[in-house]
Amino acid sequence: MNAQAQVVVIGGGVIGLSIAYHLAEAGVRTVLLERGELGSGASRATADVVRSYFAGNPVSSAMAVRSLEAYQAFGSRPAAQVPLRQVGYLVLLTEPEQVAAIEAELPAQRAAGVRVELVDAGEARRLNPLVGPDLPLLAAAWSPQAYVSDTAAIVAGYAEGARRAGAKLRTGCPVLSVDPDRGRVETTDGTITAEAVVCAAGAWSAPLARSAGVDLPLTEPVTQELLLTDPLTELSPIPSVPVTLHAASGLLMRLRGDRILIGMGYPDRDREAWRARVAERLAATYPRLAGVALHPAISGVRDASPDKTAFIGHRPGPPAFLYAAGFSGHGLCNAPAAGELVRDLYLGKDPWLDVADLAVERAG
């Protein structure tokens, strides 16, 4: 493969595919390279939740609000068939400092377009009746802007939309090196030259960016694991509950059919010990789930930034080098907005968001 393109996008997850779609739709000759299959990295390790509220992170919230609007407005666009089932998002607060922090940032979140409010413990238990009566619950943050979706459908929709717009998507094509000064990308299948290279390679982004002289201060790649309960036959009928986060522990839960999908941070090397801690926290937060069997459901490697806000920016060219990485698990919620931002940076347009808040220089 000796080819030319205007832009080469490295990474075939939901972020890279969104970028490829938005570029191709704007008439840019785009080639996307993915080392495995489309959506096989962090996009595979997701709870299929699209939400707008990211506590303590109004920049990610602003991107999520814009992305949610894009998902809802797809219509005839690539992911028109993506389901969005509204369930809401509840954050359980058990410490006074948590309540004060959430209350203090409500204006910034609302300015970002997020619908969120503080509710008392009684309302939180009404919203999620599985919350135990003995949990020292002080209050909760409640945002109705959360939906259960289908990540695989979003990946497939963006891929189809990008292809229809003229983008070339190559899978099973690992990138060996990037020479940004000459706009050359070496792959196992040959060389591509381009006016610009976009690094959206998730957990593999840092070394690629470094070759372009951009130091992405990503943490070491982390493995996300989600667990699934046995069918909850003893809870019939299963109460309808929102996606719920226990803020102090990071325990996240959502209904998945007649089971519950569960996450809690990132497991360490001793997976069994971590799973035991998850089971203990689950029982303390939701006593009716005490003793329920937990099984590994989904696992994948994620990229992460120190402040959990993505890095999106560029090294001016030509040839130009652009990057979109460090989404820290927010990729599905941020993908449409990220694609728009990278497209506008490449085209030299004023983006809808001040990218100084996302550029790697902010970490300095």
Side-chain angles (χ1 to χ4, degrees):
M1 179 181 65
N2 292 296
Q4 290 184 327
Q6 285 179 275
V7 178
V8 172
V9 178
I10 304 173
V14 68
I15 298 297
L17 285 164
S18 171
I19 292 168
Y21 166 73
H22 282 92
L23 285 169
E25 188 188 45
V28 178
R29 287 184 293 106
T30 303
V31 174
L32 179 143
L33 306 175
E34 164 55 40
R35 59 186 291 164
E37 297 299 320
L38 298 178
S40 59
S43 297
R44 185 170 60 87
T46 172
D48 289 330
V49 173
V50 175
R51 58 184 168 98
S52 63
Y53 176 47
F54 290 88
N57 198 331
V59 174
S60 284
S61 292
M63 292 183 65
V65 168
R66 190 173 181 91
S67 295
L68 179 57
E69 292 172 350
Y71 285 137
Q72 292 171 326
F74 264 144
S76 61
R77 297 177 66 139
Q81 303 305 311
V82 171
L84 287 173
R85 177 170 59 86
Q86 189 169 13
V87 293
Y89 180 56
L90 187 69
V91 183
L92 306 176
L93 308 173
T94 54
E95 301 172 5
E97 296 81 4
Q98 295 169 345
V99 178
I102 294 293
E103 191 168 28
E105 70 151 1
L106 284 179
Q109 291 286 345
R110 289 168 178 161
V114 179
R115 292 168 55 199
V116 60
E117 62 179 324
L118 270 176
V119 298
D120 63 24
E123 177 63 7
R125 288 189 167 92
R126 186 193 70 79
L127 290 164
N128 188 338
L130 294 178
V131 176
D134 295 329
L135 185 74
L137 188 60
L138 301 179
W142 165 244
S143 174
Q145 293 168 299
Y147 299 77
V148 172
S149 186
D150 183 338
T151 307
I154 293 174
V155 166
Y158 268 132
E160 178 63 20
R163 289 190 183 101
R164 288 184 178 179
K168 308 297 183 183
L169 311 182
R170 296 187 62 89
T171 58
C173 187
V175 172
L176 302 176
S177 64
V178 176
D179 182 348
D181 293 326
R182 293 193 293 168
R184 292 170 59 91
V185 178
E186 301 289 343
T187 79
T188 53
D189 290 342
T191 303
I192 301 180
T193 58
E195 294 176 4
V197 177
V198 180
C199 178
W204 297 272
S205 293
L208 288 173
R210 198 173 300 119
S211 71
V214 176
D215 185 15
L216 288 178
L218 303 179
T219 64
E220 288 297 314
V222 291
T223 299
Q224 171 75 48
E225 180 171 287
L226 301 177
L227 307 174
L228 195 64
T229 68
D230 277 342
L232 303 175
T233 54
E234 296 183 1
L235 292 184
S236 183
I238 301 173
S240 177
V241 299
V243 176
T244 304
L245 175 71
H246 179 256
S249 65
L251 180 73
L252 183 77
M253 65 96 83
R254 82 158 180 87
L255 285 181
R256 190 180 190 184
D258 62 350
R259 306 169 186 242
I260 291 180
L261 191 66
I262 297 164
M264 193 173 82
Y266 304 108
D268 50 31
R269 292 183 179 181
D270 190 341
R271 293 289 182 91
E272 291 304 318
W274 173 78
R275 291 169 189 153
R277 293 195 298 273
V278 174
E280 181 180 6
R281 184 67 261 168
L282 185 69
T285 308
Y286 310 106
R288 294 170 67 187
L289 301 180
V292 67
L294 300 177
H295 309 281
I298 304 168
S299 182
V301 178
R302 284 184 175 175
D303 55 338
S305 71
D307 61 1
K308 296 186 178 181
T309 302
F311 291 111
I312 299 177
H314 68 135
R315 191 198 75 170
F321 182 85
L322 302 96
Y323 53 86
F327 285 83
S328 308
H330 305 175
L332 182 64
C333 300
N334 286 175
E340 291 181 355
L341 287 173
V342 172
R343 175 201 63 200
D344 291 347
L345 284 172
Y346 170 73
L347 294 175
K349 295 183 176 181
D350 289 333
W352 62 271
L353 181 70
D354 185 357
V355 292
D357 293 330
L358 297 166
V360 70
E361 288 80 9
R362 76 172 194 268

